[in-house]
Structures are given as structure tokens and as C-alpha cells.
Amino acid sequence: MSKAISRTNIVPGVVVKTKFITSHHKAFQQYVEYVDRDEAKQEDRSVAHSFSLYQDYMGNPNKTSSLFTHKYNRLTEEQKADLKESFEEAQKNNSIMWQDVITFHNPWLQEQGIYDARTHTVDERKLMYVTRQAMSKMLERERLNESAVWSAAIHYNTDNIHIHIATVEPNPTRSRGKRKPKTLDVMKSTVVNQIMDRGKNQDRINHLIRKEMVDQKKQDSSFAWRNRELKPLFLMVYNHLPQDKRQWQYSYNTIKPLKPYIDTLSEKYIKKHHQKEYQQLIKNLDTEVKELKKAYGEGTRDKGRYENYKQTKIDDLYKRMGNAFLQEMKAYDRKQQDVKRLLDRKQSGNQTARYKQHVPVHFSLRKIEKAFKSEYESWKNQQHYERLQRETERDRNQQNDYERGY
């Protein structure tokens, strides 16, 4: 009988939306008039309500931050006048005005230590910093970083704290306001990363993969006695690699048929020597996915940010570990070539001597191949024998338990 699974729709911690208006739109002029309005005049709710772009957060100016820009947290009268002049020039030159809104889920902000629900206060400096980082990414991607001017304000008198941002070009470089969808994605990921500060956990994940597992393998020979069970598979892969050694990299298409065997090498090595580190990696990845899911929600566009995160990191581990084995195979091949060159020098001479040299080399290669097959079959038989031993021991224990009446 199957159980019904209840699904809870996760509210995303951050939502980023954008739209734009032309210089002839009424809201453009209203914003220009608003820029240099002092805080006392901002108390006039009728004026605030008429300002369509910001009428939402202007509904209660006591719960709204003052305007801030990429440089200043609070503008002086002179700075307000300069900002107004920039917006007026942009309007006169028929600039687009982009209107961005960054909306937060308050409980998520509280988890991050930025919002206090008891006192209804928010860390404005942190949100200003986050806004600047997101805007910097947006302007760079849209190639507006040399021409745009923006200002913003934080509104936290609603169920969801949000930031309104207005951006114009005093000297326009474009007539279209539509942005690339990827730009919004980058803005959102910037906000999430700056607020969550997941750097420590992500650094730990990378350290586990690169330093504690892969780098350790680079220092550990597959021909060492403690790795003796890897040697037959190592040689099998080596003997089937393409002649062009530049292709001895995990991502090359010519390596694709060998990837399952290379992955088996990696898996066996990790299980034997890095089981603890691998379990810690999985735990950290699960934590990261959980936190990213809370930040981004379950929207179709945002699922990709966390849905494949865990598998992507595991794939990265196997890619790096696979390349470590392939690098070792390159080193092994160089040694084989050195030995062959040494034999060639010793046996150099007349044509007959060179012909005689070819015979033992050919014979030697056949002998190595035969020995390899024998060794590989022996390894497989040993694996089968050990599995039978474990099954026999398990059956014996079960029989003993049965006889004791357990």
C-alpha cells in the first residue's frame, strides 16, 4: 500500500523582477520630482501616492530607507541635486528607465540574521551592500557600467521586505529596454550568495574534493602494495588508451569508452582510502542543497541552481580523480618509453642487430599482454572468491542464530 506524500510549496527567499518605462511615461517625471524632495515633504502621502513607480513603498515613508546609490548610503542635498540632474538629462535624451525590485521572504531574512521580526528592524547597510553587488553584475552584463546611473530605496513596511531600484542613462547607448533573462538570474544568485555567505561550506566542499581526496591520490601510486587490487584495472585502461597522449584527459571524447573503468578505479580508491571524507562531502552537499532550495524556491527557472548541484560536485570529484589516474598513466608510459630507449641504445648496431632487436620486443609485448590477462583473470577470481566467502560466513551466522532460537 503506497503512502500519500504531502508536498509543501517552498517560498523562495529572494525574488528579482524588472520592467522598464520610456522617458515619456508619467512615472519618469514623478521620480525626477521625488529625488530631491526632503524627508519632511516625503511625509505628504498624497504626493507619495501619486508617484506611481514608488507608490508601494512611499505609502509609509517612516518605514522606508532614504535613497541610496552605488556610492552613498544617504544623500546630501547637493548629492540629491546632482542625482536629479542626471535623471533629468536622461529624460531629456529619451533614456529608458529600468525598474528593478528585489523582494525577500522575511522568515528567510531572519534566518540569515538580517531581519529582526520582534523589533521589525532590518540591517539596511547589508541590504545596500547586496544591492550594489547585484547592480554591479547587472550593469557589467548589460554593458551599462560606463553609462548608467541608479538609485534605490529599501521598503520594509510590508510582509516582504523589498528594494526598489531605478536606473537610467544620462547619455543613452540603447533604445531597447529588454534585458537578457540570464541577467536576472545573475542578479538573484549574487543577492543569495552575498546574504547567505555560503563561502565557508562551499570552500569545505572544494577542499574535500581537491585536497583531501584528489591531491592525496596524486601522491599515491597505483602500483603500491596497498593498492594492489587496482593494478590490473589500471593496466587494462592504460593498454586501451589512444596513441595521442594529448587526449589522455577525462573530458576527451576518445576516452569516453574507458570512462566506466576509470570511474571504477576512482570508486574503489575512494572506498578504500577516503570513505570518511566522501561521507563528509555528501553531508555538506546535502546541507548546501537544502539551503539553496530555501533561498531560490521551487520555480522552474531556479530549480537548476540546486537540483543538480550535488551530482555536479560528485561528477567533478570523479573527473578530477580520473585525471589523476590518467596523469599517473602518462608518467607510467614515460617510464616504459625510457626503458625501451635504453634497450634500443644498448642493442644498436647493424641491420641484423636491429632486426633481432624487434623479435624480442615483439615477444616481450606478447608476454606482457598474456601476463596482464592472466593477472586480470586472477584478480576477478579473487574478487569472486572473497564474495563467496562473505556469503558463506553470512549463511553460517544466520544458521547459528536460527539454532539458538533468535
Side-chain angles (χ1 to χ4, degrees):
M1 182 177 178
S2 61
K3 294 182 179 179
I5 301 174
S6 60
R7 298 186 181 274
T8 303
N9 187 31
I10 296 177
V11 178
V14 180
V15 175
V16 178
K17 294 182 178 180
T18 189
K19 62 178 182 178
F20 63 91
I21 58 174
T22 64
S23 59
H24 304 293
H25 198 286
K26 183 180 179 182
F28 201 123
Q29 180 59 35
Q30 289 172 330
Y31 182 69
V32 172
E33 293 172 359
Y34 162 71
V35 167
D36 66 347
R37 190 177 296 275
D38 61 38
E39 294 185 9
K41 290 181 181 179
Q42 288 179 27
E43 295 287 348
D44 183 349
R45 294 192 177 211
S46 62
V47 173
H49 185 72
S50 69
F51 179 52
S52 59
L53 173 60
Y54 279 79
Q55 63 184 1
D56 177 34
Y57 77 75
M58 286 299 291
N60 189 338
N62 290 327
K63 295 290 185 178
T64 306
S65 75
S66 59
L67 283 178
F68 66 94
T69 64
H70 74 292
K71 282 186 177 180
Y72 306 109
N73 290 350
R74 183 180 293 271
L75 304 182
T76 64
E77 292 302 316
E78 183 179 355
Q79 290 162 353
K80 286 180 184 178
D82 290 341
L83 180 63
K84 180 179 180 181
E85 183 179 338
S86 294
F87 272 78
E88 286 177 332
E89 184 177 357
Q91 184 181 27
K92 181 182 68 175
N93 293 331
N94 297 320
S95 169
I96 298 293
M97 179 189 283
W98 289 273
Q99 304 169 2
D100 297 295
V101 182
I102 304 172
T103 304
F104 301 97
H105 184 47
N106 287 5
W108 181 78
L109 271 187
Q110 190 165 6
E111 283 183 20
Q112 310 307 317
I114 292 176
Y115 175 65
D116 187 336
R118 183 179 58 83
T119 60
H120 302 290
T121 55
V122 66
D123 185 346
E124 289 189 355
R125 285 185 175 273
K126 180 67 175 180
L127 293 188
M128 289 178 185
Y129 172 78
V130 165
T131 302
R132 289 178 180 123
Q133 295 300 308
M135 289 300 293
S136 176
K137 294 287 186 182
M138 182 278 288
L139 296 175
E140 182 180 354
R141 288 188 63 85
E142 295 294 324
R143 298 181 180 178
L144 292 167
N145 46 326
E146 298 294 331
S147 60
V149 173
W150 63 267
S151 62
I154 304 166
H155 180 211
Y156 51 99
N157 190 37
T158 64
D159 292 338
N160 295 298
I161 293 169
H162 51 278
I163 303 168
H164 287 269
I165 312 159
T167 306
V168 295
E169 289 185 289
N171 296 295
T173 61
R174 67 195 62 194
S175 57
R176 297 182 61 188
K178 190 174 182 181
R179 290 188 192 146
K180 306 179 190 76
K182 186 66 177 176
T183 298
L184 284 182
D185 294 341
V186 171
M187 288 180 70
K188 184 171 183 177
S189 63
T190 301
V191 172
V192 169
N193 292 336
Q194 292 294 333
I195 288 182
M196 290 176 68
D197 191 20
R198 301 300 302 166
K200 288 183 180 178
N201 192 48
Q202 291 171 0
D203 287 346
R204 177 58 180 158
I205 288 170
N206 290 333
H207 186 81
L208 282 165
I209 292 172
R210 301 174 188 181
K211 300 296 181 183
E212 298 191 25
M213 286 188 271
V214 175
D215 280 2
Q216 290 294 321
K217 170 64 196 81
K218 291 178 180 178
Q219 307 301 320
D220 191 7
S221 171
S222 297
F223 290 86
W225 176 250
R226 74 187 198 123
N227 295 322
R228 58 193 179 278
E229 70 275 14
L230 300 178
K231 184 179 175 182
L233 191 54
F234 180 98
L235 289 172
M236 187 189 79
V237 173
Y238 167 75
N239 285 321
H240 289 83
L241 287 169
Q243 287 187 347
D244 186 354
K245 296 178 183 61
R246 292 173 298 180
Q247 298 176 19
W248 291 17
Q249 297 181 44
Y250 189 86
S251 298
Y252 259 87
N253 285 332
T254 50
I255 298 293
K256 191 173 182 180
L258 295 172
K259 277 186 179 180
Y261 304 101
I262 298 172
D263 288 344
T264 299
L265 277 172
S266 298
E267 181 182 10
K268 288 182 176 297
Y269 184 82
I270 291 167
K271 280 185 176 180
K272 182 169 184 178
H273 299 299
H274 296 290
Q275 187 71 13
K276 181 180 177 181
E277 290 85 353
Y278 186 77
Q279 289 174 353
Q280 184 62 51
L281 173 66
I282 296 302
K283 181 180 178 181
N284 286 21
L285 288 173
D286 287 339
T287 298
E288 196 66 17
V289 169
K290 181 181 176 182
E291 293 301 320
L292 290 173
K293 191 172 184 179
K294 286 195 291 185
Y296 289 107
E298 296 180 306
T300 304
R301 284 183 60 85
D302 293 313
K303 270 190 174 182
R305 298 179 186 274
Y306 58 82
E307 197 169 45
N308 301 320
Y309 180 83
K310 180 178 179 179
Q311 188 58 51
T312 299
K313 285 297 182 181
I314 293 173
D315 290 345
D316 182 53
L317 167 62
Y318 274 81
K319 176 183 176 181
R320 291 175 182 275
M321 190 68 77
N323 277 326
F325 274 106
L326 289 167
Q327 287 297 318
E328 186 181 7
M329 289 174 192
K330 279 187 178 181
Y332 174 77
D333 184 75
R334 284 194 294 270
K335 288 181 180 179
Q336 296 300 102
Q337 296 302 319
D338 288 344
V339 171
K340 187 176 182 301
R341 281 193 294 270
L342 181 62
L343 291 173
D344 287 344
R345 284 198 299 270
K346 286 184 177 180
Q347 298 182 15
S348 62
N350 57 34
Q351 186 67 30
T352 304
R354 284 196 294 272
Y355 172 76
K356 289 180 178 179
Q357 170 200 340
H358 179 73
V359 175
V361 169
H362 178 70
F363 175 76
S364 176
L365 288 175
R366 289 183 59 187
K367 187 176 179 181
I368 291 172
E369 184 177 2
K370 184 177 179 181
F372 163 70
K373 287 182 179 179
S374 175
E375 188 175 6
Y376 186 58
E377 289 299 322
S378 174
W379 174 71
K380 288 198 298 183
N381 291 336
Q382 179 67 23
Q383 296 288 311
H384 181 67
Y385 172 76
E386 291 177 0
R387 185 167 62 251
L388 287 176
Q389 288 287 90
R390 289 194 296 271
E391 291 174 356
T392 302
E393 182 66 21
R394 185 174 64 250
D395 292 341
R396 186 184 299 116
N397 292 337
Q398 289 175 350
Q399 180 64 30
N400 291 339
D401 290 343
Y402 175 77
E403 291 175 356
R404 294 192 196 100
Y406 290 161

